[in-house]
Amino acid sequence: MAGAMSKALDIDAIRAEFPILSREVNGYPLVYLDNAASAQKPNAVIDAIANQSRTAYANVHRGIHTLSNEATEAYEAAREAAREYLNAPAHENIVFTKGSTEGINLVASALAGEIQPGDEIVLSIMEHHSNIIPWHFLRERHGAVLRWVGLTEDGSLDMAEYAAAIGPKTKFVAMTHMSNVLGTVTDMAEIVRLAHEVGAQVLADGSQAAVHVPVDVQALGVDWYVMTGHKLYGPTGIGVLYGTAEALDRARPYQGGGEMIEIVTRERVTYNTAPHKFEAGTPPILEAIGLGAALNWIRNHPFEAVHDHEMILYSHAVEGLRGINGLRIHGEAPGKGAVLTFSLEGAHPHDIAQILDRYGVAIRAGHHCAQPLMEHLGVPSTARASFAIYNTLAEVDAFIEALAKARKMLV
């Protein structure tokens, strides 16, 4: 039984909260193993968005009427949920964005005025493109130098190489907290400590980590932290940028428009304080409320139990895949998350994913927006199965069985 997976979690009851999991694909029960790309949504999130739309929708802030006040309360309650989730000191530290990508771009834009030719930005080769391209903008437009940190054989971040990359020219460090390909969890507190020793700011990309790793931004010491709603069982189009009070205060506004101003005249403009300084225009009201519902839903489930459940699934999948000839697993760092990326000799990942879909199994195939990492691994693309709270051992078995069938067809 799925519910027997964990003494602290009733997986059958959890699955019942996700209506999409009851559907079939190509005549087979849906086995959704593409959670690192985007997670499914529980009724708590769906209902929060629908109920707000039905009963109390209006634009937020500055409204005098009842609906605006109610919408503002729900919107700001979502900000408080994000503050609690990240253990930020105050709600002013929480900026709503469209997602992690916009959060990183916001920080890069805010930093642009401080970058001088030759200033160095340190990245790892396992970054998602969203945490690479904004820094290339600073390289192209402001003369920044990108320094790259490699990996050890098991897919861990090479901390000796990282320490060597940090120096007097280091202006900024942008690192994933958990790789979307390898599942590697980085030692963010140590990354921050070494960067701060040379006066550099640190941004942590928590797109994957925020749903699999307990995040305490104060304990980590990061200057910036980003996470995205749709991987946290929440809606698309909403994310969170955490910034320290000092970092937010020194950062220039990202976009101009309503909400982010204090006074506008023909001759001058003065800006609002954080977080509103960075939230120009009508915000994603319903999406933020949905994210708040998702974060509260996650917090209702013991983290250790969820982590244990996901890692049982991952370990079971690894053992099943080891029996398939020609299969290579990428990334086996200690303490990694429940992301299983693999290659099958003689088979293109897209073909693998297409055949698995015939059996109702959804996985991801491609370079996963991590082309520098693919180059390091020596492959153009890979296949990836990623696990979530609602997955079961029976689904893992279905995945292994479908993959064995795919191998027979392709190899």
Side-chain angles (χ1 to χ4, degrees), residues 301-350:
H301 301 88
F303 171 80
E304 289 188 3
V306 175
H307 178 266
D308 290 347
H309 170 70
E310 292 175 345
M311 294 312 296
I312 287 171
L313 298 173
Y314 170 81
S315 298
H316 187 65
V318 168
E319 288 308 307
L321 264 58
R322 290 199 193 283
I324 298 178
N325 291 333
L327 190 136
R328 173 188 173 194
I329 295 173
H330 302 284
E332 298 185 83
K336 66 165 288 180
V339 176
L340 177 55
T341 297
F342 61 94
S343 300
L344 182 59
E345 187 177 353
H348 195 286
H350 290 171

Coordinates of all heavy atoms in Angstrom, one line a residue, residues 301-350:
H301 N 3.1 19.1 6.7 CA 3.6 17.7 6.6 C 5.1 17.7 7.1 O 5.9 18.5 6.7 CB 3.6 17.3 5.1 CG 2.2 17.2 4.5 ND1 1.7 18.3 3.9 CD2 1.3 16.2 4.5 CE1 0.4 18.0 3.5 NE2 0.2 16.8 3.9
P302 N 5.4 16.9 8.1 CA 6.7 16.9 8.7 C 7.8 16.7 7.6 O 7.8 15.8 6.8 CB 6.7 15.6 9.6 CG 5.2 15.4 9.8 CD 4.5 15.8 8.6
F303 N 8.7 17.6 7.6 CA 9.8 17.7 6.6 C 10.6 16.4 6.6 O 10.8 15.8 5.5 CB 10.7 18.8 6.8 CG 11.9 18.7 5.8 CD1 11.8 19.1 4.5 CD2 13.1 18.2 6.3 CE1 12.9 19.0 3.6 CE2 14.2 18.1 5.4 CZ 14.1 18.5 4.1
E304 N 11.0 15.9 7.7 CA 11.8 14.7 7.8 C 11.1 13.5 7.2 O 11.7 12.7 6.5 CB 12.3 14.4 9.2 CG 13.3 15.4 9.7 CD 13.8 15.0 11.1 OE1 13.5 13.9 11.6 OE2 14.6 15.7 11.7
A305 N 9.8 13.4 7.4 CA 9.0 12.3 6.9 C 8.9 12.4 5.4 O 9.0 11.4 4.7 CB 7.6 12.3 7.5
V306 N 8.7 13.6 4.9 CA 8.6 13.8 3.4 C 10.0 13.5 2.8 O 10.0 12.8 1.8 CB 8.2 15.3 3.1 CG1 8.3 15.5 1.6 CG2 6.8 15.6 3.6
H307 N 11.0 13.9 3.4 CA 12.4 13.7 2.8 C 12.7 12.2 2.8 O 13.2 11.6 1.8 CB 13.4 14.4 3.7 CG 14.8 14.1 3.2 ND1 15.6 13.1 3.8 CD2 15.6 14.7 2.3 CE1 16.8 13.1 3.2 NE2 16.8 14.1 2.3
D308 N 12.4 11.5 3.9 CA 12.6 10.0 4.0 C 11.8 9.3 2.9 O 12.3 8.4 2.3 CB 12.2 9.5 5.4 CG 13.2 10.0 6.5 OD1 14.3 10.5 6.1 OD2 12.9 9.8 7.6
H309 N 10.6 9.7 2.7 CA 9.7 9.1 1.7 C 10.3 9.3 0.3 O 10.4 8.3 -0.4 CB 8.3 9.8 1.8 CG 7.4 9.4 0.7 ND1 6.9 8.1 0.6 CD2 6.9 10.1 -0.3 CE1 6.1 8.1 -0.5 NE2 6.1 9.3 -1.1
E310 N 10.7 10.5 0.0 CA 11.2 10.8 -1.3 C 12.5 10.0 -1.6 O 12.7 9.5 -2.7 CB 11.4 12.3 -1.5 CG 10.2 13.1 -1.6 CD 10.4 14.6 -1.6 OE1 11.6 15.0 -1.4 OE2 9.5 15.3 -2.0
M311 N 13.3 9.9 -0.5 CA 14.6 9.2 -0.7 C 14.4 7.7 -0.8 O 15.2 7.0 -1.4 CB 15.6 9.6 0.4 CG 16.0 11.0 0.4 SD 16.5 11.6 -1.3 CE 18.0 10.6 -1.6
I312 N 13.4 7.1 -0.1 CA 13.0 5.7 -0.3 C 12.7 5.5 -1.8 O 13.1 4.5 -2.4 CB 11.9 5.3 0.6 CG1 12.4 5.3 2.1 CG2 11.3 4.0 0.2 CD1 11.3 5.1 3.1
L313 N 11.9 6.3 -2.3 CA 11.5 6.2 -3.7 C 12.8 6.3 -4.6 O 12.9 5.5 -5.6 CB 10.5 7.3 -4.1 CG 9.2 7.3 -3.4 CD1 8.4 8.6 -3.8 CD2 8.4 6.1 -3.7
Y314 N 13.6 7.3 -4.4 CA 14.8 7.4 -5.2 C 15.7 6.2 -5.1 O 16.2 5.7 -6.1 CB 15.6 8.7 -4.7 CG 17.0 8.8 -5.3 CD1 17.1 9.3 -6.6 CD2 18.1 8.4 -4.6 CE1 18.4 9.4 -7.1 CE2 19.4 8.5 -5.2 CZ 19.5 9.0 -6.4 OH 20.7 9.1 -7.0
S315 N 15.9 5.7 -3.9 CA 16.8 4.5 -3.7 C 16.2 3.3 -4.4 O 17.0 2.5 -5.0 CB 17.0 4.3 -2.2 OG 17.7 5.3 -1.6
H316 N 14.9 3.1 -4.3 CA 14.3 2.0 -5.0 C 14.5 2.1 -6.5 O 14.7 1.1 -7.2 CB 12.8 2.0 -4.6 CG 12.1 0.8 -5.1 ND1 12.3 -0.5 -4.6 CD2 11.1 0.7 -6.0 CE1 11.5 -1.3 -5.2 NE2 10.7 -0.7 -6.1
A317 N 14.3 3.3 -7.0 CA 14.5 3.5 -8.5 C 16.0 3.3 -8.9 O 16.2 2.6 -9.9 CB 14.1 4.9 -8.8
V318 N 16.9 3.7 -8.1 CA 18.3 3.5 -8.4 C 18.6 2.0 -8.5 O 19.3 1.5 -9.4 CB 19.2 4.2 -7.4 CG1 20.7 3.7 -7.5 CG2 19.2 5.7 -7.5
E319 N 18.1 1.3 -7.5 CA 18.4 -0.2 -7.5 C 17.8 -0.8 -8.7 O 18.4 -1.8 -9.3 CB 17.8 -0.8 -6.2 CG 18.6 -0.4 -4.9 CD 20.1 -0.7 -5.1 OE1 20.5 -1.9 -5.4 OE2 20.9 0.2 -4.9
G320 N 16.6 -0.4 -9.1 CA 16.0 -1.0 -10.3 C 16.7 -0.7 -11.5 O 16.8 -1.5 -12.4
L321 N 17.2 0.5 -11.6 CA 17.9 0.9 -12.8 C 19.3 0.3 -13.0 O 19.8 0.1 -14.1 CB 18.1 2.5 -12.9 CG 17.0 3.2 -13.7 CD1 15.6 2.9 -13.1 CD2 17.3 4.7 -13.7
R322 N 19.9 -0.1 -11.8 CA 21.2 -0.7 -11.9 C 21.2 -2.0 -12.6 O 22.3 -2.5 -13.1 CB 21.8 -0.8 -10.5 CG 22.2 0.5 -9.8 CD 23.1 0.3 -8.7 NE 23.2 1.4 -7.8 CZ 24.0 2.5 -8.1 NH1 24.6 2.6 -9.3 NH2 24.0 3.5 -7.3
G323 N 20.1 -2.6 -12.7 CA 20.0 -3.9 -13.4 C 19.8 -3.7 -14.9 O 19.7 -4.7 -15.7
I324 N 19.7 -2.5 -15.4 CA 19.5 -2.3 -16.9 C 20.9 -2.0 -17.5 O 21.6 -1.1 -17.2 CB 18.6 -1.1 -17.1 CG1 17.2 -1.4 -16.5 CG2 18.5 -0.7 -18.6 CD1 16.3 -0.2 -16.6
N325 N 21.3 -2.9 -18.4 CA 22.6 -2.8 -19.1 C 22.7 -1.5 -19.9 O 21.7 -1.1 -20.6 CB 22.8 -4.0 -20.0 CG 23.0 -5.3 -19.3 OD1 23.4 -5.3 -18.2 ND2 22.6 -6.4 -19.9
G326 N 23.9 -0.9 -19.8 CA 24.1 0.3 -20.6 C 23.6 1.6 -20.0 O 23.7 2.7 -20.6
L327 N 23.0 1.5 -18.8 CA 22.5 2.7 -18.1 C 23.5 3.4 -17.2 O 24.1 2.7 -16.4 CB 21.2 2.3 -17.4 CG 20.4 3.5 -16.9 CD1 18.9 3.3 -17.1 CD2 20.6 3.8 -15.4
R328 N 23.6 4.7 -17.3 CA 24.5 5.4 -16.5 C 23.7 6.5 -15.7 O 23.0 7.2 -16.2 CB 25.5 6.1 -17.4 CG 26.5 7.1 -16.6 CD 27.3 7.9 -17.7 NE 28.1 8.9 -17.0 CZ 28.7 9.9 -17.7 NH1 28.6 10.0 -19.0 NH2 29.4 10.8 -17.1
I329 N 23.9 6.5 -14.4 CA 23.3 7.5 -13.5 C 24.3 8.6 -13.3 O 25.4 8.4 -13.0 CB 22.9 6.8 -12.1 CG1 21.9 5.7 -12.3 CG2 22.5 7.9 -11.2 CD1 21.6 5.0 -11.1
H330 N 23.8 9.8 -13.4 CA 24.6 11.0 -13.3 C 24.3 11.7 -11.9 O 23.2 12.1 -11.6 CB 24.2 12.0 -14.4 CG 24.4 11.5 -15.8 ND1 25.7 11.4 -16.3 CD2 23.5 11.1 -16.7 CE1 25.6 10.9 -17.6 NE2 24.3 10.7 -17.8
G331 N 25.3 11.8 -11.1 CA 25.2 12.5 -9.8 C 24.8 11.6 -8.7 O 23.7 11.2 -8.6
E332 N 25.8 11.3 -7.9 CA 25.6 10.5 -6.7 C 26.3 11.1 -5.5 O 26.9 10.4 -4.7 CB 26.0 9.0 -6.9 CG 25.3 8.4 -8.1 CD 25.7 6.9 -8.3 OE1 25.1 6.1 -7.6 OE2 26.5 6.6 -9.1
A333 N 26.1 12.4 -5.3 CA 26.8 13.1 -4.2 C 26.1 12.7 -2.9 O 24.9 12.5 -2.9 CB 26.7 14.6 -4.4
P334 N 26.8 12.6 -1.8 CA 26.2 12.3 -0.5 C 25.2 13.4 -0.2 O 25.4 14.6 -0.4 CB 27.4 12.4 0.4 CG 28.6 12.1 -0.4 CD 28.3 12.7 -1.7
G335 N 24.1 13.0 0.4 CA 23.1 14.0 0.8 C 22.3 14.6 -0.3 O 21.6 15.6 -0.1
K336 N 22.3 14.1 -1.5 CA 21.6 14.6 -2.7 C 20.1 14.5 -2.5 O 19.7 13.7 -1.7 CB 22.1 14.0 -4.0 CG 21.8 12.5 -4.1 CD 21.9 12.0 -5.5 CE 20.8 12.6 -6.4 NZ 20.9 12.2 -7.8
G337 N 19.4 15.2 -3.3 CA 17.9 15.1 -3.3 C 17.4 14.1 -4.2 O 18.2 13.4 -4.9
A338 N 16.1 13.9 -4.3 CA 15.4 12.8 -5.0 C 15.2 13.2 -6.5 O 14.1 13.2 -7.0 CB 14.1 12.5 -4.3
V339 N 16.4 13.4 -7.1 CA 16.4 13.6 -8.6 C 17.3 12.6 -9.2 O 18.5 12.5 -8.8 CB 16.9 15.1 -8.9 CG1 17.1 15.3 -10.4 CG2 16.0 16.1 -8.3
L340 N 16.7 11.8 -10.2 CA 17.5 10.7 -10.8 C 17.6 11.0 -12.3 O 16.7 10.9 -13.1 CB 16.7 9.4 -10.6 CG 17.2 8.1 -11.2 CD1 18.7 7.9 -10.8 CD2 16.4 7.0 -10.9
T341 N 18.9 11.4 -12.7 CA 19.2 11.7 -14.0 C 20.0 10.6 -14.6 O 21.0 10.1 -14.0 CB 19.9 13.1 -14.1 OG1 19.0 14.1 -13.6 CG2 20.3 13.4 -15.5
F342 N 19.7 10.2 -15.8 CA 20.4 9.0 -16.4 C 20.5 9.1 -17.9 O 19.8 9.8 -18.6 CB 19.7 7.7 -16.0 CG 18.3 7.6 -16.5 CD1 18.0 7.0 -17.7 CD2 17.2 8.2 -15.7 CE1 16.7 6.9 -18.1 CE2 15.9 8.1 -16.2 CZ 15.6 7.4 -17.4
S343 N 21.5 8.3 -18.4 CA 21.6 8.1 -19.9 C 21.6 6.6 -20.1 O 22.0 5.8 -19.3 CB 23.0 8.6 -20.3 OG 23.1 10.0 -20.1
L344 N 21.1 6.2 -21.3 CA 21.0 4.9 -21.7 C 21.7 4.7 -23.0 O 21.4 5.4 -24.0 CB 19.5 4.4 -21.9 CG 19.3 2.9 -22.3 CD1 19.9 2.0 -21.2 CD2 17.8 2.7 -22.4
E345 N 22.8 3.9 -23.0 CA 23.7 3.8 -24.2 C 22.9 3.3 -25.4 O 22.1 2.4 -25.3 CB 24.8 2.8 -23.9 CG 25.8 2.7 -25.0 CD 27.0 1.8 -24.6 OE1 27.0 1.3 -23.5 OE2 27.8 1.5 -25.5
G346 N 23.0 4.1 -26.5 CA 22.3 3.7 -27.7 C 20.9 4.2 -27.8 O 20.2 3.9 -28.8
A347 N 20.4 5.0 -26.9 CA 19.1 5.5 -26.9 C 19.0 7.0 -26.6 O 19.7 7.4 -25.6 CB 18.2 4.8 -25.8
H348 N 18.3 7.7 -27.4 CA 18.2 9.2 -27.2 C 17.2 9.4 -26.1 O 16.2 8.8 -26.0 CB 17.8 9.9 -28.5 CG 18.0 11.4 -28.4 ND1 17.2 12.2 -27.7 CD2 18.9 12.2 -29.0 CE1 17.6 13.4 -27.8 NE2 18.6 13.4 -28.6
P349 N 17.5 10.3 -25.1 CA 16.6 10.6 -24.0 C 15.2 11.0 -24.5 O 14.2 10.6 -23.8 CB 17.3 11.8 -23.3 CG 18.7 11.6 -23.6 CD 18.8 11.1 -25.0
H350 N 15.1 11.7 -25.6 CA 13.7 12.1 -26.1 C 12.9 10.8 -26.5 O 11.7 10.7 -26.2 CB 13.8 13.0 -27.3 CG 14.3 14.4 -26.9 ND1 14.7 15.3 -27.8 CD2 14.5 15.0 -25.7 CE1 15.1 16.4 -27.2 NE2 15.0 16.2 -25.9

